[in-house]
Amino acid sequence: MATVELTKDNFNDTLTENDFVLIDFWASWCGPCKQFAPVYEKAAEENPDLVFAKVDTEDQQELAASFDIQSIPTLMVVRDKTVIYAQPGALPKDSLDDLIKQARELDMEEVRQEIAKQEADGSAS
């Protein structure tokens, strides 16, 4: 499956309608972004059951700002409408493959319980 271009108009629908979305925040002038693009495209081809999306931070400044994107490329992984990974930097293919494998294996019920616990601890202090 080819990558999907995300905009503020289709962002929420894409995350709501899909259980597993990888998002590459990038810009055309960014050297590391250009290096990461073929790695990301290859992973999209190898994982057709997942949604691979891209956000052009130049065209979608509002979207990038809403996620406080400070440096690019930034890769974000969203499962069940929950951000489970968000880190800047171009990953080599092996690292991206490993990240996808780990994200697939996550027990999302455990993740939700941990988030709820952290939120409860935060509001108690």
Side-chain angles (χ1 to χ4, degrees), residues 60-72:
Q60 301 298 318
Q61 292 181 11
E62 204 176 301
L63 203 49
S66 70
F67 285 98
D68 198 26
I69 301 300
Q70 299 290 319
S71 82
I72 50 174

Side-chain angles (χ1 to χ4, degrees), residues 18-38:
N18 298 283
D19 294 334
F20 200 130
V21 182
L22 292 92
I23 306 167
D24 174 22
F25 290 88
W26 70 284
S28 59
W29 51 263
C30 165
C33 298
K34 290 178 183 176
Q35 290 175 316
F36 182 58

Side-chain angles (χ1 to χ4, degrees), residues 8-121:
K8 62 182 192 254
D9 297 327
N10 69 354
F11 188 87
N12 287 339
D13 287 345
T14 301
L15 266 60
T16 302
E17 294 167 7
N18 298 283
D19 294 334
F20 200 130
V21 182
L22 292 92
I23 306 167
D24 174 22
F25 290 88
W26 70 284
S28 59
W29 51 263
C30 165
C33 298
K34 290 178 183 176
Q35 290 175 316
F36 182 58
V39 172
Y40 193 69
E41 293 289 338
K42 181 78 172 154
E45 290 171 18
E46 294 173 351
N47 296 278
D49 58 319
L50 307 181
V51 174
F52 284 75
K54 294 177 82 71
V55 174
D56 183 338
T57 57
E58 291 294 301
D59 289 343
Q60 301 298 318
Q61 292 181 11
E62 204 176 301
L63 203 49
S66 70
F67 285 98
D68 198 26
I69 301 300
Q70 299 290 319
S71 82
I72 50 174
T74 289
L75 180 65
M76 186 176 287
V77 180
V78 181
R79 272 201 55 201
D80 301 340
K81 301 172 209 56
T82 303
V83 176
I84 59 171
Y85 177 90
Q87 292 288 319
L91 294 175
K93 182 173 180 347
D94 290 349
S95 297
L96 180 57
D97 290 344
D98 187 51
L99 173 63
I100 291 168
K101 180 179 179 289
Q102 289 182 46
R104 284 183 186 277
E105 293 171 353
L106 263 184
D107 179 339
M108 288 308 293
E109 190 52 44
E110 241 176 68
V111 170
R112 282 188 282 278
Q113 288 174 1
E114 183 61 30
I115 290 170
K117 180 180 178 292
Q118 288 177 7
E119 287 173 351
D121 290 350

